[in-house]
Amino acid sequence: MTLPLEAAPSAGGAAFSEILIAAALVGAVMLAFGWVVLRERTGHPTLVGRLADKISTIDGLPRWVGLPMYLLLAALLCAAFGVWWDVPIHMQNGRDEGPLANPSHYFILFGILGFTHAGVLSMGLARDPLPRRTVRLTKTWRVPMGSLVILGAGQIALLGFPADDVWHRLFGQDVTEWGPTHVMMIGGAVTCILGIPLLLAEAHQVGAPGTRTTLGRWRSALALALCFIPVAFLMEFDLGVPQYPAATQFIIAGFVFTWITTAVRSWFGPGGALFAAVVYLGVHAYLWVTVSLLPDVLTARFLLFVPAAVIVELVALVLPPRRRAVAFALVSALAVGTVGLYAEWLWSKKFMPLPQPIDSGALPVMLAVGTVAALGGALLGLWHVARLRDVAGADATGEELPPVRPAPTASTFRWTGLAGIGIAVVLMAYFAPPGMTDDKISATVALGTDCAGSQESCSSDVVVRFSPADAVDDAVWLYGLSWQGRGPKADAVDPPVDPVAKKPGVVRVAMEPTGRPGEFRSADPLPMYGNWKTLVRVHLLPTTMAAIPLHAPDDPAITSDRGREILARDGDVVRLSAEKQFLQREIKDDVPGWLNALAYGLVIGSWLLLVLFFGWCYAGASKPADAKPEIRTGATTG
């Protein structure tokens, strides 16, 4: 028996007072930047404008590139720290007492405000010389396309904060990184960086001296390499508690690793892919060190990235990207998707908290899916570099070109980017939604310790026997998980800790074969008391994710039956159920289906439109100046 959670945090939206405080913080930042933009656009000098001009004299970049770029990078580091702190403490603690009670949320909020207003600042500081293709907002105000990319990404991220509270009120809290509104916030953060390579290419186009130096060459390669940031969506895998099918890790890794390594190698020249790997490892080292300084917080591991970089460099020796771009990209994709991801699997067995997949029997399927995703990444890389070359009139190989060159055709690889994104979208649409097998699989539970009636800590060895006996023979993973063990009733002394991470709040235990058909025993006892939510996880190809619930506390904040106490007893026979119903107990089950479909449709639709907007900005910036008049919004030119 376990006691109900005392002072259980809300399973719905935030308190109105906290909403007002957050709105006031956001409003203050928006007003401050709005004032700067207004003063700049009306010809009045500002401290921010003078700082931008000072930085421009130092780095040789236009005022609408330098200061906004540094603000965006600092904001991303701030937001990344917040996210790498926030996700693990939800795994360890469960729900927040409130959005402002979680200190990591402040880093996320101010990070989002920072990179959003980097786009606003770039637009506000825009003055001649400007690139040949701009968007005209007023008679005297034209803004670069790179500014719009940053602003668009920032807007969807900033919108994610109020949308998150609305979502919680309608559907209950979804304690997962991949919740729809969480994807809005994190997705905006990981895509705002796309504006920086475009801004630097536009700066090169107007003859900025800072783009024609050795430092400028490395800076442009750094900006392109940082576009690896979408791997942030692998954090649940990096922490060892993924809530979505294993194939998604191979899809994201194959797509992003191939896109970035081939793009940076093509843009920078020899060593570019290896430089991208150094950037990737450097960012993860920063996050590893800073999060490690926090007391008792899980530290995310990470995939290596280096195998993909080495492979791409080797392919480039045989198929030079400047002369055989398509062959280089496609061969690189095939090699990264097979050899590269296989090397990542070997790395995961040594370094990751949950190797993917645990049994190599599922590996061929994962490698096949990852290879298709890698082809999509290669196609995006072709398009990305082609557009940047069209905008800049060069690449980062160090070749000096005159500030003005013949107008580009903007036709090379025009559709490969859309094709690459399409491949990734189709793969994720099929493999990301967790599925559930029929109810023909059952399991008999045997416990080494009966925790019923225990008022104190109680852990038990767990044995499960599946029927049919071969039901989990090809499981992608099969292990015991206890998580969210800290909270209102957390252990005061010596709580159970994970055998790998050595941190409280999450315990992962291997389920080892006993030698009997279909029977497995936990390698260590699993906690069955207090806040702990304990289950045996079963993942079958391609997307089945099932659970054998063992323990969950009574949660009065959850009004549905899901909030009732769960405690397995020795000899129980249970049907495998969809694990989302257990891992995300707070989700309401009485929401009309049409409302659910509408909400998901709005989030997915907004993201697809934003991706198309990014492509429009890149394609528009790459067009020749005389293709048609400048794009205008609002007032006409007169």
Side-chain angles (χ1 to χ4, degrees):
M1 176 181 178
T2 57
L3 297 176
L5 288 179
E6 299 172 4
S10 169
F16 186 66
S17 60
E18 294 197 342
I19 295 175
L20 290 179
I21 294 172
L25 292 174
V26 172
V29 174
M30 294 179 69
L31 285 174
F33 276 87
W35 176 251
V36 170
V37 171
L38 178 62
R39 297 284 293 178
E40 285 289 328
R41 300 320 307 174
T42 54
H44 297 87
T46 64
L47 288 176
V48 174
R50 286 194 286 268
L51 177 61
D53 291 332
K54 179 64 175 178
I55 291 175
S56 179
T57 62
I58 297 173
D59 63 14
L61 297 174
R63 69 198 308 259
W64 41 268
V65 177
L67 178 59
M69 177 178 66
Y70 303 130
L71 172 60
L72 181 144
L73 294 177
L76 278 181
L77 291 176
C78 176
F81 171 72
V83 173
W84 258 254
W85 184 6
D86 182 52
V87 175
I89 61 176
H90 280 298
M91 292 180 175
Q92 295 173 278
N93 299 356
R95 303 190 302 271
D96 294 320
E97 296 286 347
L100 299 184
N102 185 335
S104 67
H105 288 181
Y106 291 92
F107 290 90
I108 298 171
L109 176 59
F110 285 109
I112 290 176
L113 286 170
F115 64 71
T116 300
H117 287 87
V120 173
L121 191 61
S122 178
M123 296 168 64
L125 295 173
R127 76 168 58 147
D128 288 330
L130 289 169
R132 61 176 177 264
R133 299 289 293 163
T134 58
V135 170
R136 186 183 294 274
L137 300 180
T138 70
K139 291 182 179 181
T140 59
W141 189 6
R142 296 184 298 129
V143 298
M145 294 294 192
S147 306
L148 296 178
V149 172
I150 299 170
L151 181 64
Q155 288 298 314
I156 198 170
L158 199 56
L159 181 61
F161 260 94
D164 193 46
D165 187 70
V166 172
W167 193 279
H168 291 169
R169 293 178 188 277
L170 291 175
F171 306 107
Q173 289 196 26
D174 45 353
V175 187
T176 170
E177 182 193 11
W178 286 20
T181 51
H182 304 160
V183 170
M184 291 175 65
M185 290 182 276
I186 299 173
V190 303
T191 55
C192 72
I193 191 66
L194 293 172
I196 298 302
L198 183 53
L199 278 177
L200 290 172
E202 290 175 313
H204 190 284
Q205 181 191 119
V206 301
T211 63
R212 285 166 162 75
T213 63
T214 300
L215 176 60
R217 180 190 179 203
W218 286 96
R219 183 163 45 211
S220 66
L222 171 64
L224 190 55
L226 284 172
C227 293
F228 78 82
I229 301 177
V231 298
F233 283 116
L234 295 178
M235 198 184 320
E236 287 187 352
F237 289 95
D238 297 344
L239 289 163
V241 190
Q243 297 192 42
Y244 291 83
T248 57
Q249 185 187 38
F250 285 76
I251 293 169
I252 294 173
F255 182 84
V256 174
F257 289 3
T258 308
W259 163 31
I260 299 305
T261 52
T262 56
V264 180
R265 177 58 179 83
S266 298
W267 178 255
F268 183 80
L274 294 176
F275 175 69
V278 171
V279 173
Y280 171 91
L281 294 175
V283 171
H284 280 87
Y286 153 75
L287 293 169
W288 179 282
V289 171
T290 53
V291 176
S292 296
L293 297 176
L294 301 170
D296 290 331
V297 175
L298 283 175
T299 305
R301 307 292 178 95
F302 47 87
L303 295 177
L304 193 56
F305 193 91
V306 173
V310 172
I311 287 169
V312 168
E313 292 288 351
L314 293 176
V315 172
L317 295 176
V318 181
L319 300 169
R322 292 178 68 87
R323 297 197 303 270
R324 305 187 65 181
V326 175
F328 160 74
L330 297 183
V331 172
S332 294
L334 293 173
V336 171
T338 52
V339 178
L341 292 183
Y342 178 75
E344 295 287 1
W345 178 71
L346 294 177
W347 165 259
S348 76
K349 293 177 73 67
K350 299 296 183 182
F351 184 69
M352 299 292 282
L354 181 65
Q356 306 294 325
I358 291 176
D359 190 330
S360 60
L363 186 60
V365 176
M366 300 297 166
L367 293 178
V369 172
T371 300
V372 176
L375 290 170
L379 293 175
L380 178 59
L382 284 171
W383 177 88
H384 200 177
V385 172
R387 298 291 73 76
L388 290 175
R389 284 175 175 159
D390 282 339
V391 174
D395 53 26
T397 57
E399 178 183 359
E400 286 289 345
L401 294 177
V404 180
R405 74 180 190 107
T409 63
S411 61
T412 309
F413 307 125
R414 177 178 293 179
W415 300 107
T416 59
L418 186 60
I421 292 291
I423 289 173
V425 169
V426 170
L427 288 174
M428 290 298 287
Y430 179 79
F431 286 101
M436 179 54 207
T437 186
D438 56 41
D439 59 0
K440 294 180 180 178
I441 301 177
S442 63
T444 301
V445 178
L447 301 176
T449 303
D450 185 358
C451 293
S454 174
Q455 300 296 320
E456 299 178 354
S457 61
C458 181
S459 298
S460 175
D461 293 315
V462 177
V463 177
V464 293
R465 185 174 69 253
F466 291 95
S467 177
D470 61 352
V472 298
D473 284 355
D474 297 321
V476 178
W477 65 58
L478 170 64
Y479 70 102
L481 168 68
S482 298
W483 75 325
Q484 298 180 352
R486 302 193 305 189
K489 291 180 58 186
D491 300 85
V493 181
D494 297 330
V497 296
D498 186 80
V500 175
K502 309 298 184 184
K503 299 289 177 68
V506 175
V507 175
R508 289 156 296 206
V509 173
M511 298 298 294
E512 301 172 341
T514 64
R516 298 178 180 177
E519 187 174 271
F520 299 83
R521 177 188 297 275
S522 62
D524 295 291
L526 289 164
M528 306 268 286
Y529 66 97
N531 294 305
W532 291 99
K533 302 175 181 70
T534 300
L535 70 159
V536 174
R537 305 188 72 190
V538 180
H539 179 13
L540 304 174
L541 289 174
T543 61
T544 294
M545 303 190 74
I548 303 173
L550 299 176
H551 176 266
D554 181 61
D555 192 336
I558 301 174
T559 57
S560 68
D561 289 344
R562 293 183 187 177
R564 294 179 179 177
E565 178 190 6
I566 297 173
L567 182 60
R569 304 295 298 272
D570 187 57
D572 281 354
V573 178
V574 297
R575 297 283 182 184
L576 268 66
S577 58
E579 72 168 14
K580 182 178 179 179
Q581 298 177 358
F582 184 81
L583 293 177
Q584 300 180 37
R585 302 173 75 203
E586 294 85 354
I587 293 179
K588 298 178 181 179
D589 53 12
D590 58 351
V591 179
W594 66 266
L595 182 58
N596 213 347
L598 176 63
Y600 274 93
L602 287 174
V603 173
I604 294 172
S606 65
W607 258 110
L608 293 177
L609 288 174
L610 186 64
V611 170
L612 292 175
F613 175 72
F614 292 157
W616 177 82
C617 289
Y618 265 82
S622 68
K623 290 180 179 179
D626 57 355
K628 60 180 180 179
E630 287 159 341
I631 303 163
R632 302 172 185 172
T633 63
T636 60
T637 56

